[in-house]
Amino acid sequence: MTSIKKKSKFDISVVIVNYNVKDFLCQAILSLQTALKGISSEIIVVDNASDDGSSEMVNKRFPRVVLIKNSDNFGFAKANNIALRQAKGRYILLINPDTIVQEDTIQVMLKFLDKHTEVGLAGCKILNPDGSFQLSCRRGFPTPWVAFTKLFGLSRLFPKSKIFGQYNLTYLDIEGTYPVDAVSGSFMMVRNDVIKEVGGLDERYFMYGEDLDWCYRIRQAGWQIYYVHTTQLIHYKGESTKRSSLDEIKIFYDAMHLFVEKHFNASIIFNIVLKLAIAIVSFAAFITSVLRPLRVAIFDYIAVLISIGLAEEIWRGTFLKYPNYAYPIVLVVPAVIVIGCLYAAGVYTNKRMSVSRTIIATFAAYVIISALTAMFKEYAFSRMIMGISGIFAVIFIAGWRLILRLLGLSTAYGRKRLFSKRTLIVGTNKDATELQKRLRKKVGAGYELIGFIGTTHQNIGKKIDGLEVIGSIANVGKIIKDMSISDVIFAPKALSYAQVLSVIGKSRDQSVSFHLVPTTMEVIIGKASVDSLDDLPLVQITYNIDKSYNRFIKRSFDISLSILLLAGVYPIFRLINSNDKIKKSNFLKYLPSVLRGKFSFVGPSEQNFSALKVNGDTIFLGRPGLCGLVQLQRSKVLTNEEIDQYNLYYARNQSIMLDVEILIKSWMQSIYSEKRTK
């Protein structure tokens, strides 16, 4: 540990240790600057050798912030101690970069500590990004018993028990202020005098455990530690560890072991049990990561068995009836070959849920299976059964992936699914309008804008640049539920941080993701990701629409579907409906044109069809389409720039999957429009 000696010059020194979380750090400093207004303060950022531009951002945007640049990632404890040696506040606040504080947080905590002179260190209520309570913001010390209940899951099984729930104090009411053993290192406000007495953080802890150790030493020195519920902040938790190569599970349990060994003189037996538990947990985490892809393979295995059974039922009238000697081979080998081919094609690794690769790999697997049946005559019960089985296997294995993708239940593939995030923008100010424009330009980001949420009821029903104000923050929870909203984005300056936390808190029971946009309008900060809002320069890249293979597949799809519809649906529709109605239906009217190649089912609209130029190069957009990304925006007034963005996105990402997705979306949109007109 490090001894800290200094004179107080400010009321508070805020210390932030950063590692590769530039966008979160920016938002944290912005919220802190608001909370520190009228308070004598300094902000010190210690950067642990980030390579994401964090230091440059601090220098450029926050020149008054004290920046300390480390040459390496020294860990949390050592980096904080570096700042503590030069911090000059009466109080020191250690806070994580992935946090957002309320406007009153610093004031509330200062008043509490000024009033309660016996309290040496305090923390406040901490919320997860979804509004739920973050259990780690108040804790008990990991004594041998508490460590045992944590390691073996008893604290999770019996959270309300005082005997088993001591690690996260889950038996205590979160809406109360009381003394605790320890608080989270993501927000710790401590007295300067306490640091002089007990020293800084123990640098033997790289990450995790140093906050518990500090709290323990402060308690041992006779000071109290408090959890204060009257103010709160959001903590995104674990953002720095996501960007590192550290084994955080091992580091966490090693820190727990160090704490127990240092402070409780645990017995040899307990140390053995603790080390064994750490080994078991680490091994379980490793096995889970290895077996995760196999969960998908199980569905494929079942699909192959069902395919073989159905093929035999169709061809022979029996279901999986083979000689006894054949069952181990028939029930295992074909499925293993299919799974092996899928794995080789990357379907279980880097190209998960890829429908095209699934079809090709399954077809290749059945070619191998057919060859093997020719070599081993005792298992060649019927090549026709194997052929029919192959057709079913392609349909089933590719089909369940296709369904998941179309329903938006799988994001495990490269391109984000269009229109998958039903999104509200909170705010009706100038920044909210600008945010809407930027989101509309980010065609592939997956945000389907449903409407604005105002701060009052005054503007409900009004339209801002074509997007309606559909509610206020007073009833946002009901709107989220009624309209199946998946994402809520808070526009800059639309609400105070206290109001943002209030909205999140009211909607904590909803399955929804909340996002914040800094005043720079560069990114959208959410729990799972940070999405760029910058207008990236258009550079020449490979466009899928211009690839020979893609053009061949697209044309084959147009011919096949148009023949199917002309032969089946078109005559029936003509019998039931008049020619006038057919003429009104562009889709039916232009089917012959699709077959002739003048149109495609999916492409740019005929009205907006023109070659797009990027950096002086002409981009082939394909044939004009009966439906497309631009046509789906019929309820919006698009600028020429936005139309170009949609067309460019389609040219870059064109695939049969994208075409099918747009066709289904267009069909659903037409059904909805018909219902509304009725």
Side-chain angles (χ1 to χ4, degrees):
M1 69 188 72
T2 304
S3 178
I4 310 293
K5 294 182 180 180
K6 56 189 175 297
K7 292 183 179 179
S8 298
K9 183 179 177 181
F10 303 100
D11 284 331
I12 185 168
S13 296
V14 180
V15 176
I16 308 172
V17 173
N18 174 73
Y19 179 70
N20 283 328
V21 286
K22 177 185 70 175
D23 298 312
F24 288 94
L25 174 63
C26 179
Q27 187 63 44
I29 296 174
L30 288 171
S31 70
L32 282 165
Q33 286 181 332
T34 303
L36 288 167
K37 282 182 179 177
I39 301 172
S40 173
S41 62
E42 64 175 344
I43 298 176
I44 303 173
V45 172
V46 185
D47 187 74
N48 267 339
S50 299
D51 57 9
D52 67 341
S54 293
S55 297
E56 293 80 0
M57 181 275 295
V58 173
N59 279 329
K60 181 179 178 181
R61 294 214 57 208
F62 308 104
R64 296 185 62 184
V65 169
V66 178
L67 176 64
I68 301 172
K69 296 171 66 174
N70 288 336
S71 58
D72 200 356
N73 184 0
F74 293 153
F76 186 79
K78 185 174 181 178
N80 270 298
N81 284 343
I82 291 170
L84 291 177
R85 280 191 279 270
Q86 70 178 68
K88 301 178 180 66
R90 285 194 304 120
Y91 295 102
I92 309 295
L93 170 61
L94 305 190
I95 187 169
N96 277 18
D98 53 350
T99 55
I100 297 170
V101 299
Q102 279 189 181
E103 286 82 354
D104 69 344
T105 298
I106 306 299
Q107 287 280 11
V108 168
M109 297 303 293
L110 284 175
K111 287 179 181 178
F112 177 84
L113 287 168
D114 283 341
K115 183 178 179 181
H116 299 85
T117 55
E118 76 283 4
V119 178
L121 183 149
C124 68
K125 185 193 296 182
I126 299 178
L127 303 179
N128 292 308
D130 61 2
S132 59
F133 181 72
Q134 200 165 104
L135 295 176
S136 60
C137 71
R138 25 137 236 196
R139 287 176 286 180
F141 293 131
T143 60
W145 169 249
V146 173
F148 177 84
T149 60
K150 168 68 175 175
L151 282 167
F152 290 94
L154 296 174
S155 58
R156 181 177 293 183
L157 286 173
F158 308 103
K160 297 300 180 182
S161 167
K162 192 172 182 179
I163 297 174
F164 298 111
Q166 293 179 42
Y167 186 79
N168 288 126
L169 305 178
T170 45
Y171 58 91
L172 294 176
D173 184 9
I174 64 173
E175 300 300 333
T177 295
Y178 39 74
V180 294
D181 283 346
V183 297
S184 169
S186 59
F187 185 96
M188 304 173 79
M189 191 175 286
V190 60
R191 296 179 187 276
N192 182 342
D193 293 338
V194 170
I195 300 175
K196 290 177 183 177
E197 183 177 347
V198 304
L201 298 166
D202 188 337
E203 296 178 9
R204 285 180 290 176
Y205 297 92
F206 182 84
M207 182 178 66
Y208 302 129
E210 68 287 306
D211 48 358
L212 281 170
D213 179 88
W214 212 27
C215 289
Y216 186 85
R217 286 156 43 209
I218 291 171
R219 284 282 302 271
Q220 290 293 97
W223 295 91
Q224 288 194 353
I225 294 172
Y226 259 74
Y227 161 76
V228 180
H229 80 287
T230 49
T231 189
Q232 58 191 8
L233 59 90
I234 292 176
H235 180 210
Y236 285 88
K237 198 173 185 179
E239 289 301 324
S240 292
T241 57
K242 290 178 186 176
R243 292 155 174 80
S244 72
S245 58
L246 300 172
D247 185 348
E248 54 185 297
I249 294 174
K250 183 178 185 303
I251 291 173
F252 174 81
Y253 287 110
D254 283 349
M256 184 183 288
H257 182 260
L258 173 60
F259 183 90
V260 172
E261 194 175 57
K262 177 180 175 181
H263 294 296
F264 296 113
N265 296 318
S267 66
I268 295 175
I269 294 176
F270 179 78
N271 277 324
I272 293 172
V273 171
L274 188 60
K275 287 180 179 179
L276 179 62
I278 292 170
I280 291 171
V281 172
S282 298
F283 181 73
F286 170 75
I287 292 298
T288 301
S289 65
V290 171
L291 295 181
R292 189 174 290 116
L294 294 183
R295 293 182 298 179
V296 177
I298 290 172
F299 287 99
D300 296 332
Y301 182 88
I302 294 171
V304 173
L305 294 187
I306 293 174
S307 299
I308 294 172
L310 287 176
E312 190 185 17
E313 176 68 32
I314 290 171
W315 192 249
R316 285 183 173 175
T318 59
F319 191 84
L320 290 178
K321 287 189 177 180
Y322 297 101
N324 290 336
Y325 72 86
Y327 280 105
I329 300 298
V330 172
L331 297 182
V332 174
V333 173
V336 169
I337 292 172
V338 170
I339 290 171
C341 288
L342 289 170
Y343 181 82
V347 175
Y348 298 132
T349 53
N350 59 321
K351 295 291 183 181
R352 289 177 292 170
M353 296 296 172
S354 171
V355 174
S356 59
R357 284 176 178 257
T358 299
I359 293 171
I360 294 169
T362 306
F363 178 79
Y366 270 87
V367 170
I368 295 171
I369 292 168
S370 298
L372 289 174
T373 57
M375 294 171 61
F376 300 96
K377 301 293 184 182
E378 63 271 30
Y379 298 104
F381 303 110
S382 173
R383 292 186 182 179
M384 185 57 69
I385 289 177
M386 201 52 59
I388 297 171
S389 168
I391 295 171
F392 278 125
V394 169
I395 293 171
F396 292 155
I397 295 174
W400 74 261
R401 287 174 168 82
L402 177 62
I403 291 170
L404 286 183
R405 286 180 59 170
L406 292 176
L407 292 176
L409 299 178
S410 171
T411 57
Y413 54 98
R415 178 182 58 82
K416 292 183 180 179
R417 183 177 175 270
L418 289 174
F419 317 111
S420 60
K421 300 175 183 177
R422 291 177 57 81
T423 304
L424 296 177
I425 296 176
V426 178
T428 54
N429 57 0
K430 183 179 178 181
D431 287 326
T433 306
E434 176 63 22
L435 175 60
Q436 184 209 180
K437 290 178 181 177
R438 294 202 181 197
L439 284 171
R440 282 169 63 167
K441 290 179 182 178
K442 298 291 289 183
V443 179
Y447 295 103
E448 182 181 6
L449 299 181
I450 305 302
F452 287 106
I453 296 294
T455 53
T456 67
H457 288 77
Q458 185 177 359
N459 293 322
I460 293 178
K462 293 182 180 179
K463 285 195 173 184
I464 303 174
D465 281 355
L467 192 64
E468 187 177 350
V469 181
I470 59 176
S472 73
I473 56 174
N475 67 338
V476 65
K478 186 176 185 301
I479 292 171
I480 289 170
K481 183 178 180 181
D482 292 347
M483 302 193 73
S484 302
I485 300 298
S486 64
D487 290 73
V488 175
I489 303 176
F490 295 96
K493 303 176 185 176
L495 302 178
S496 67
Y497 289 111
Q499 287 176 309
V500 169
L501 267 67
S502 175
V503 170
I504 292 174
K506 289 176 183 176
S507 308
R508 68 181 62 174
D509 59 335
Q510 307 276 5
S511 179
V512 62
S513 298
F514 294 96
H515 309 266
L516 289 167
V517 178
T519 53
T520 57
M521 297 286 284
E522 293 173 350
V523 294
I524 300 175
I525 298 175
K527 179 181 180 181
S529 64
V530 178
D531 293 337
S532 172
L533 277 173
D534 277 343
D535 294 326
L536 300 177
L538 300 178
V539 295
Q540 182 62 45
I541 59 172
T542 303
Y543 294 88
N544 285 354
I545 193 70
D546 210 20
K547 292 179 180 178
S548 299
Y549 172 79
N550 283 44
R551 292 170 74 168
F552 172 76
I553 295 295
K554 182 176 176 63
R555 183 66 187 129
S556 301
F557 177 77
D558 283 344
I559 292 172
S560 302
L561 185 57
S562 59
I563 290 174
L564 182 65
L565 293 175
L566 282 167
V569 178
Y570 190 78
I572 297 172
F573 199 87
R574 289 202 64 155
L575 286 173
I576 298 173
N577 299 281
S578 65
N579 286 332
D580 290 338
K581 191 160 187 179
I582 292 176
K583 289 178 182 178
K584 291 178 183 178
S585 171
N586 282 340
F587 198 85
L588 292 170
K589 182 172 66 175
Y590 284 105
L591 280 179
S593 298
V594 173
L595 183 60
R596 289 195 301 268
K598 185 179 178 182
F599 285 84
S600 177
F601 280 110
V602 180
S605 66
E606 189 177 15
Q607 293 83 0
N608 303 114
F609 185 73
S610 61
L612 181 64
K613 289 196 173 183
V614 178
N615 293 343
D617 296 320
T618 301
I619 304 302
F620 173 71
L621 297 176
R623 297 174 176 85
L626 305 189
C627 58
L629 294 179
V630 174
Q631 296 90 310
L632 283 172
Q633 316 306 314
R634 65 185 68 177
S635 61
K636 302 172 185 175
V637 179
L638 298 179
T639 64
N640 289 332
E641 184 184 1
E642 288 173 336
I643 290 171
D644 286 347
Q645 288 284 345
Y646 279 107
N647 287 336
L648 183 62
Y649 178 86
Y650 179 73
R652 284 176 174 173
N653 297 280
Q654 189 278 324
S655 67
I656 288 301
M657 266 305 306
L658 179 57
D659 284 1
V660 170
E661 195 173 325
I662 292 171
L663 279 168
I664 292 174
K665 186 72 179 179
S666 301
W667 174 62
M668 293 172 64
Q669 195 178 78
S670 65
I671 292 174
Y672 180 71
S673 298
E674 284 184 16
K675 287 182 179 179
R676 291 192 67 178
T677 54
K678 291 178 181 178

